[in-house]
């Protein structure tokens, strides 16, 4: 499938799109506060899910309150619930400030494709549901230089699928929605959110399990979709 449109900007999701999560983030969180006390990864994971579910049931709106202070509060309540023995306030802050910094790996198709897109003159940006650590994470992964515009929910408050997080990125990059293509791995968050903001979307379905179209199974297919010829190994889109 080749797009009939010409885009000026291409925006990307991060998790499961550019970066693969290869370690449980809760395990990394437990390590980050080990100097303050022992934290059970399993207990913390259960508690944080419960706290977030209770917050949402009480009217919390993650799509418009995805800020560090929100998550520090969630962390503090979860740590208190499971009886963390150390300084709970400090531990909650450390977990938020280090969350999703480590335990990640760049997918093999990423750098070659991003380089190709830059050479062809596309403006590139990031729109991701990610803590305020997003720019630091991209620096560690050596991907930040590809993206002059990086918009993370932990910095702007809005989270996908809210269309405002996409609008912020498009405003910063200087393009209109009809000039923008978004690449992400979630139908619920990426496809729905980008379309609500007026942008086109290609689903990156690495596992080949989704029926949504248009989709690709590797970023190597993206230049071909854009009408620029294929890159890397050939994989047929379903």
């Amino acid at each position: 499938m080749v797009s009939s449109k010409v885009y000026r900007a291409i925006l990307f999701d991060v998790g499961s799109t550019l970066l693969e999560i290869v370690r449980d983030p809760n395990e990394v969180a437990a390590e980050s506060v080990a100097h303050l006390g022992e934290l059970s990864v399993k207990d913390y994971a259960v508690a944080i899910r419960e706290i977030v579910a209770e917050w949402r049931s009480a009217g919390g709106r993650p799509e418009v309150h995805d800020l560090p202070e929100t998550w520090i509060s969630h962390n503090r309540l979860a740590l208190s619930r499971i009886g963390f023995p150390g300084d709970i306030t400090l531990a909650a802050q450390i977990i938020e400030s280090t969350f999703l910094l480590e335990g990640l790996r760049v997918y093999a198709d990423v750098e070659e494709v991003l380089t190709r897109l830059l050479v062809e003159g596309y403006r590139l940006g990031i729109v991701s549901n990610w803590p305020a650590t997003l720019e630091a994470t991209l620096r560690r992964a050596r991907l930040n230089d590809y993206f002059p515009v990086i918009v993370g929910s932990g910095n702007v408050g809005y989270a996908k699928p809210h269309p405002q997080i996409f609008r912020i990125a498009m405003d910063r990059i200087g393009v209109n929605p009809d000039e923008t293509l978004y690449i992400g791995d979630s139908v619920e968050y990426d496809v729905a959110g980008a379309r609500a903001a007026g942008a086109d979307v290609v689903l990156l379905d690495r596992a080949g399990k989704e029926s949504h179209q248009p989709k690709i199974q590797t970023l190597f297919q993206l230049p071909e979709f854009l009408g620029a010829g294929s890159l890397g190994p050939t994989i047929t889109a379903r």
Side-chain angles (χ1 to χ4, degrees):
M1 181 182 296
V2 178
S3 173
S4 60
K5 291 184 65 174
V6 176
Y7 301 101
R8 295 176 60 207
I10 303 177
L11 305 178
F12 290 85
D13 176 41
V14 174
S16 299
T17 298
L18 303 179
L19 297 179
E20 180 182 12
I21 299 174
V22 294
R23 288 188 65 201
D24 180 352
N26 292 314
E27 180 182 326
V28 179
E31 291 178 1
S32 74
V33 298
H35 62 293
L36 298 176
E38 184 177 354
L39 175 60
S40 164
V41 175
K42 180 179 178 180
D43 290 349
Y44 175 74
V46 170
I48 196 69
R49 284 197 300 270
E50 290 176 349
I51 293 296
V52 172
E54 292 165 7
W55 174 73
R56 294 184 68 160
S57 295
R61 297 179 61 196
E63 73 274 17
V64 293
H65 293 126
D66 196 17
L67 290 165
E69 53 264 33
T70 304
W71 282 98
I72 289 171
S73 175
H74 293 337
N75 294 338
R76 188 167 56 245
L77 289 170
L79 291 167
S80 178
R81 180 168 296 185
I82 64 176
F84 179 70
D87 186 328
I88 288 176
T89 297
L90 179 57
Q93 293 169 342
I94 291 173
I95 289 172
E96 174 59 20
S97 66
T98 59
F99 202 70
L100 288 176
L101 266 178
E102 299 181 4
L104 307 163
R105 178 169 58 206
V106 180
Y107 284 104
D109 54 4
V110 170
E111 294 186 66
E112 183 178 349
V113 173
L114 293 180
T115 299
R116 170 78 171 270
L117 295 175
L118 285 178
V119 168
E120 291 178 355
Y122 290 101
R123 302 179 187 180
L124 305 184
I126 293 289
V127 177
S128 180
N129 286 358
W130 205 272
T133 55
L134 179 56
E135 290 197 36
T137 299
L138 292 171
R139 281 196 301 272
R140 287 193 177 202
R142 299 182 180 179
L143 295 179
N144 59 303
D145 287 343
Y146 290 102
F147 302 103
V149 171
I150 297 171
V151 177
S153 57
N155 297 108
V156 300
Y158 293 99
K160 299 179 298 183
H162 199 293
Q164 187 60 19
I165 190 172
F166 296 92
R167 294 179 186 134
I168 290 169
M170 290 185 285
D171 286 346
R172 290 182 182 178
I173 211 167
V175 293
N176 297 320
D178 61 0
E179 301 172 307
T180 305
L181 180 67
Y182 186 73
I183 312 297
D185 68 295
S186 168
V187 174
E188 179 182 1
Y189 294 100
D190 298 323
V191 174
R195 283 185 171 174
D200 288 345
V201 191
V202 170
L203 181 71
L204 177 57
D205 180 19
R206 293 186 180 276
K209 295 181 179 179
E210 299 287 349
S211 60
H212 172 84
Q213 294 292 341
K215 74 172 184 177
I216 54 178
Q217 286 182 249
T218 167
L219 289 177
F220 286 132
Q221 293 175 296
L222 182 56
E224 187 173 8
F225 174 84
L226 295 167
S230 61
L231 275 174
T234 300
I235 298 179
T236 303
R238 297 178 183 175

